[in-house]
Amino acid sequence: MDAFYASVEQRDRPELRGRPVAVGGSPESRGVVAAASYEARAHGVRSATPMSRALRLCPDLVVVPPDFGKYRAVSSQVFALYREVTSR
């Protein structure tokens, strides 16, 4: 779950699968990485990395703006599944 936002984006957008993805703010406005896919992490991109640095580390990085409403909904689904299959 450490790359959750990026994983959700890769799930919903097949063209991002297997590519380095960072969810976060714009490099022009001092944005930072909120989550990085495992493909991006291989280049040294991590959460809280300034997006401008992330793009220098990984020129092929796909930057996706966050959709927190979507992540909240998916998180609720994941936790509902956990509650269903585990004891409390």
Side-chain angles (χ1 to χ4, degrees):
M1 299 290 282
D2 57 343
F4 181 69
Y5 299 164
S7 296
V8 170
E9 294 299 338
Q10 288 176 315
R11 178 199 73 172
D12 291 350
R13 297 177 53 189
E15 72 275 12
L16 297 179
R17 293 178 190 160
R19 297 184 63 196
V21 175
V23 175
S26 168
E28 291 84 24
S29 64
R30 297 174 39 142
V32 297
V33 175
S37 69
Y38 292 106
E39 297 85 357
R41 289 168 182 236
H43 295 274
V45 178
R46 304 275 186 272
S47 296
T49 302
M51 196 62 78
S52 58
R53 176 170 165 67
L55 286 164
R56 284 193 302 276
L57 290 169
C58 183
D60 295 331
L61 187 67
V62 179
V63 178
V64 178
D67 182 345
F68 294 113
K70 176 168 60 173
Y71 309 143
R72 239 183 324 277
V74 174
S75 177
S76 292
Q77 293 169 345
V78 170
F79 279 99
L81 179 63
Y82 286 157
R83 285 188 292 277
E84 187 178 311
V85 298
T86 63
S87 61
R88 295 179 191 206

